């Protein structure tokens, strides 16, 4: 903190909105603060690897999903276990989400058994089960203030849209990447912009991040599916439903030229995680086997290396 006038920065933050981001980055996450971080407590309850964590909106509850096929709801600030959900999955749980506008009562889980389950925390029961995917379901996404709805990313190459007000048989295909990228494509991660919920980011088993404007995309049902290895294959009511201009691509400039070299060395570049900043202006991407990248989705910037 040496050399920083905190009072002056705080005053400028009140008067000038453009200094807010500088204030947050320079003071809220600074070396002295990071150096004071340490292990506060260990929360014991799972008997397998913990693959995913998710906070509720207030930051008072924490959900965890594990290879033991259970999801646990914690009160982390009290170091207490609130309840254990027997999810009914038969494969490792990869994603868990509190659904918005549910009073932290409804939780969704996604797993390696290709299924998505919805749970009621109060009754500890599975209220809905979606079996539409034909590949492992790696991530779920929700949008603030969008009730009853969430999305899934699967290794069958599709992004599905779920509405709890509809039958479990009515899960819709939002994007079928196999129609554009071939049958070997696997969707690994998705995130919804918290300020602009019509914007969705998706990562696959390649270095490209796709940004979809879902207002231009028509969700549709599949007529049939062939459960062959490599993803979803079938005709639908709206094949090739992405109109021109509804998709943007983000990739580190040096990676497309290096792809052939990575393939020769049997290394794959996979987008394993993607998330928007709270203001929706930045996109953080973890590229498995490579680096972590931060993209500005509003304006162009010169790249910085850390």
């Amino acid at each position: 903190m040496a050399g920083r006038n905190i009072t002056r920065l705080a005053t400028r933050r009140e008067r000038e909105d453009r200094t807010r981001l500088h204030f947050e980055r320079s003071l809220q996450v600074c070396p002295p603060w990071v150096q004071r971080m340490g292990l506060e407590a260990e929360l014991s309850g799972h008997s397998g690897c913990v693959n995913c964590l998710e906070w509720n909106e207030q930051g008072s509850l924490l959900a965890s999903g594990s290879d033991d096929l259970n999801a646990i709801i914690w009160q982390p600030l009290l170091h207490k276990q609130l309840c254990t959900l027997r999810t009914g999955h038969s494969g490792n749980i990869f994603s868990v989400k509190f659904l918005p506008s549910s009073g932290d009562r409804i939780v969704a889980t996604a797993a390696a058994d290709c299924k998505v389950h919805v749970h009621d925390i109060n009754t500890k029961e599975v209220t809905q089960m979606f079996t539409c995917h034909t590949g492992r379901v790696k991530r779920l996404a929700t949008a603030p203030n969008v009730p009853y709805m969430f999305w899934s990313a699967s290794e069958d190459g599709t992004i599905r849209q779920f509405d709890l007000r509809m039958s479990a048989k009515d899960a819709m295909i939002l994007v079928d990447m196999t129609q554009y990228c071939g049958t070997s494509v696997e969707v690994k991660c998705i995130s919804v912009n918290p300020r602009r919920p019509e914007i969705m980011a998706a990562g696959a088993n390649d270095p490209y991040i796709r940004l979809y404007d879902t207002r231009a995309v028509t969700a549709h049902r599949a007529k049939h599916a062939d459960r062959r290895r490599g993803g979803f294959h079938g005709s639908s009511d709206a094949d090739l439903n992405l109109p021109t201009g509804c998709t943007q691509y983000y990739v580190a400039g040096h990676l497309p030229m290096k792809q052939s070299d990575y393939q020769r060395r049997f290394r794959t570049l996979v987008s394993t995680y993607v998330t928007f900043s709270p203001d929706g202006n930045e996109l953080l991407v973890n590229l498995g086997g490579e680096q972590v990248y931060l993209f500005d989705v509003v304006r162009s910037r010169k790249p910085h290396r850390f």
Side-chain angles (χ1 to χ4, degrees), residues 167-300:
S167 167
K169 296 180 180 179
D170 292 328
M172 309 289 278
I173 299 174
L174 186 65
V175 178
D176 182 359
M177 284 195 191
T178 66
Q179 300 286 345
Y180 308 90
C181 307
T183 57
S184 62
V185 68
E186 300 175 349
V187 189
K188 299 291 189 179
C189 52
I190 53 172
S191 181
V192 174
N193 191 314
R195 293 295 181 90
R196 297 181 59 195
E198 71 275 9
I199 302 299
M200 175 182 291
N205 52 338
D206 60 27
Y208 299 92
I209 299 298
R210 292 118 173 127
L211 242 61
Y212 298 106
D213 186 339
T214 59
R215 294 172 298 182
V217 180
T218 302
H220 56 281
R221 296 182 180 90
K223 288 182 179 178
H224 63 83
D226 178 5
R227 293 172 178 262
R228 289 178 290 178
R229 184 181 181 276
F232 175 90
H233 308 276
S235 61
S236 69
D237 295 331
D239 284 348
L240 302 176
N241 65 323
L242 299 180
T244 302
C246 79
T247 309
Q248 299 180 52
Y249 292 84
Y250 289 82
V251 65
H254 65 285
L255 291 181
M257 296 180 290
K258 287 189 173 182
Q259 272 193 285
S260 58
D261 181 51
Y262 276 98
Q263 291 170 356
R264 282 195 299 270
R265 290 184 287 161
F266 300 99
R267 290 182 59 190
T268 56
L269 296 173
V270 179
S271 305
T272 59
Y273 188 77
V274 59
T275 186
F276 284 96
S277 60
D279 62 8
N281 293 336
E282 294 177 322
L283 190 62
L284 186 68
V285 178
N286 181 63
L287 204 58
E290 231 269 336
Q291 305 289 341
V292 176
Y293 295 94
L294 183 66
F295 297 100
D296 190 322
V297 298
V298 176
R299 62 185 185 277
S300 299

Side-chain angles (χ1 to χ4, degrees), residues 36-49:
R36 291 198 302 270
M37 292 179 66
L39 178 64
E40 179 180 332
E42 292 186 8
L43 304 179
S44 300
H46 286 294
S47 59
C49 296

Side-chain angles (χ1 to χ4, degrees), residues 111-135:
D113 60 4
C114 312
K115 297 177 182 178
V116 176
H117 291 181
V118 179
H119 314 266
D120 188 310
I121 292 177
N122 293 344
T123 63
K124 299 181 182 180
E125 294 181 349
V126 178
T127 59
Q128 284 182 276
M129 184 184 300
F130 299 94
T131 60
C132 50
H133 281 296
T134 60

Side-chain angles (χ1 to χ4, degrees), residues 76-114:
L77 303 182
L78 301 177
H79 306 162
K80 290 175 58 177
Q81 181 176 320
L82 187 62
C83 69
T84 298
L85 302 175
R86 311 295 179 186
T87 64
H89 286 294
S90 58
N92 300 346
I93 298 174
F94 293 133
S95 187
V96 59
K97 284 284 185 180
F98 288 97
L99 295 195
S101 304
S102 69
D104 299 328
R105 183 173 59 91
I106 306 299
V107 169
T109 55
D113 60 4
C114 312

